[in-house]
Amino acid sequence: MNKPHLHFTAHSGAHSCLVLGIESSCDETATSVLARAEDGSIHVLSSVIASQNEQHAPYGGVVPEIAARAHMQIIESLIAQAIKDADIDYTDLDAVAATSGPGLIGGVITGLMCAKGLALSLDIPLISVNHLEGHALSPRLSEACPFPYLLLLVSGGHTQLLSVEGLGKYTRLGSTVDDAAGEAFDKTAKIMSLGFPGGPALEKIAKNGDPKSIKLPSPFKNKPHADFSFAGLKTAAARAFATFEKPTQKDKANLAASFQYTVADIICDRTSRAMDMFSAKLDKGEDLRFVVAGGVAANTAIRNGLKDLCASKGFTLAVPPHIYCTDNAAMIALVGAEKLAIGDISDDGGLGVKARPRWPLDESSAKNNPASGSGRKGPKS
Ligand code: KG4
Ligand code: ZN
């Protein structure tokens, strides 16, 4: 289990509400207690994250059944730890906020059922939170970050460009039609036997390679929309790897560097397109803010590319601290607290909420312009 990380933003005023957040939609179990003061300032009183990386490593990717069981084994003690670290009693809580989708259904159900039990026994509302909305608001955990801003969410599960205009007001400008960027890193690293999670391992070996040594395709580059595609790139990287009879460290480093260079190039190209779409909707002279969140944001080549892009497009760049960039429960508690503050609670106190494996943040874009297809269960993203 990771050490709890506490973060306090500059604040004044009494706490108007205390919310417990629970996150279990992928391979991190996380809990947090967050206070929102009358003046809207946010104070993260505790944030605990247990990663399942070790359990999934032998398989080179997240195994849903292993994830669900691991969440179940640890969630109760993690809730207790968040309460203890925050130095409060359960009875001090005003609400429980839990991720109810999108994500791996077994994990989501585990967190949601725990949250329902707590809400029922404490007689407080359960607030259902979309995991993507947590990421969308996550920069506001550590800095003011006024609306509107353009958000790039790049993780193992998601790659999306969202215009964040206010609480509950999100417009999806682009999304992946196949793999998420982190997934492409993980799968390419798996082909090269670099270990799991693949992103950091691939970045490490890329340092010794030549990014221009292997020409790989850049799907969707220069297209007028802001969607992403990584499946073809991943396949091309696998083909390139298969051409090495006995891959040397240098071969691996060259492929890793070329792959990373291409992903960074695609991400910057698609983001540049979304920046044009975003700025076109603002009044002249309005501040242009860009936020990047998700595990892949840790990649230096991608971060540097985005830094240069922001400088050339006149955007200010914000990258939340790593603990809020990747999956965490403080962002879920934040959405819960903001909803509670405006009385956005369902009539049944949230107890009728169902877990949703698919739950697009911007339902209308997802339905009218489905980037990643739409099946019996609805649009994917
Ligand atoms: O946001 P995150 O911690 O979890 C979820 O996906 O929900 O993101 C994890 C993803 C993994 O795919 C991992 O390989 C990738 O982020 N990642 C990286 C780096 N660090 C983590 N990808 C590229 N370069 C990195 N340094
Ligand atoms: Zn996430």
Side-chain angles (χ1 to χ4, degrees):
M1 193 188 309
N2 295 349
K3 277 205 151 169
H5 175 95
L6 306 187
H7 181 87
F8 299 87
T9 53
H11 63 279
S12 60
H15 293 160
S16 65
C17 68
L18 278 177
V19 177
L20 170 72
I22 300 178
E23 159 58 38
S24 58
S25 64
C26 191
D27 59 345
E28 259 108 23
T29 322
T31 55
S32 165
V33 174
L34 175 140
R36 184 187 185 280
E38 299 278 0
D39 62 3
S41 61
I42 298 300
H43 323 281
V44 181
L45 303 186
S46 64
S47 181
V48 195
I49 303 172
S51 162
Q52 303 173 356
N53 277 349
E54 271 176 35
Q55 282 108 308
H56 299 294
Y59 307 93
V62 178
V63 182
E65 290 77 10
I66 293 178
R69 191 169 55 224
H71 286 303
M72 214 146 62
Q73 283 166 343
I74 203 165
I75 200 153
E76 271 184 71
S77 63
L78 234 56
I79 291 171
Q81 194 178 336
I83 298 289
K84 184 166 169 254
D85 290 348
D87 202 16
I88 63 158
D89 290 322
Y90 282 95
T91 49
D92 295 326
L93 291 171
D94 295 294
V96 184
T99 298
S100 44
L104 300 174
I105 195 72
V108 176
I109 289 175
T110 305
L112 193 57
M113 290 307 141
C114 248
K116 281 189 186 181
L118 265 177
L120 196 61
S121 64
L122 295 169
D123 196 20
I124 54 175
L126 163 68
I127 301 173
S128 150
V129 176
N130 182 314
H131 178 82
L132 298 171
E133 185 164 21
H135 279 300
L137 297 195
S138 64
R140 297 164 66 86
L141 284 167
S142 49
E143 57 184 285
C145 206
F147 300 120
Y149 49 87
L150 176 67
L151 176 93
L152 168 67
L153 171 60
V154 262
S155 69
H158 305 281
T159 299
Q160 299 205 342
L161 282 154
L162 288 169
S163 163
V164 182
E165 291 129 32
L167 179 68
K169 293 190 188 130
Y170 314 102
T171 311
R172 195 197 63 194
L173 302 178
S175 175
T176 181
V177 300
D178 41 54
D179 292 347
E183 197 179 353
F185 266 99
D186 292 339
K187 287 178 176 169
T188 304
K190 188 176 178 184
I191 289 160
M192 295 165 71
S193 308
L194 298 180
F196 177 83
L202 195 144
E203 175 172 24
K204 197 167 164 214
I205 118 160
K207 286 195 175 79
N208 303 317
D210 172 4
K212 301 273 176 67
S213 56
I214 300 170
K215 179 91 187 99
L216 295 168
S218 302
F220 286 179
K221 193 169 172 192
N222 297 324
K223 291 277 183 221
H225 55 69
D227 291 330
F228 301 82
S229 167
F230 293 105
L233 169 62
K234 176 196 66 192
T235 307
R239 286 217 185 97
F241 189 66
T243 62
F244 304 132
E245 219 165 278
K246 273 196 183 144
T248 61
Q249 276 309 101
K250 192 70 199 164
D251 292 334
K252 284 189 180 185
N254 281 340
L255 182 56
S258 303
F259 175 83
Q260 179 177 269
Y261 169 84
T262 311
V263 174
D265 187 43
I266 296 170
I267 287 178
C268 290
D269 176 75
R270 308 289 65 216
T271 303
S272 165
R273 184 72 201 99
M275 282 176 167
D276 294 343
M277 292 159 130
F278 178 79
S279 353
K281 287 201 297 181
L282 298 190
D283 294 329
K284 274 224 151 54
E286 256 192 273
D287 286 343
L288 299 170
R289 277 177 288 270
F290 174 68
V291 178
V292 55
V296 182
N299 186 285
T300 309
I302 293 172
R303 220 187 252 237
N304 286 345
L306 290 171
K307 230 183 251 172
D308 293 346
L309 179 67
C310 283
S312 74
K313 293 268 189 187
F315 275 71
T316 53
L317 171 68
V319 190
H322 192 68
I323 39 135
Y324 297 148
C325 226
T326 57
D327 286 352
N328 66 88
M331 67 183 192
I332 304 303
L334 172 62
V335 177
E338 296 296 349
K339 285 186 165 189
L340 189 67
I342 58 164
D344 185 1
I345 303 162
S346 59
D347 292 343
D348 63 357
L351 296 178
V353 166
K354 289 200 172 67
R356 296 179 61 173
R358 293 182 189 182
W359 184 5
L361 194 51
D362 174 2
E363 299 256 12
S364 79
S365 293
K367 277 188 192 133
N368 300 332
N369 178 23
S372 49
S374 180
R376 214 164 24 92
K377 294 180 201 152
K380 287 185 188 163
S381 61

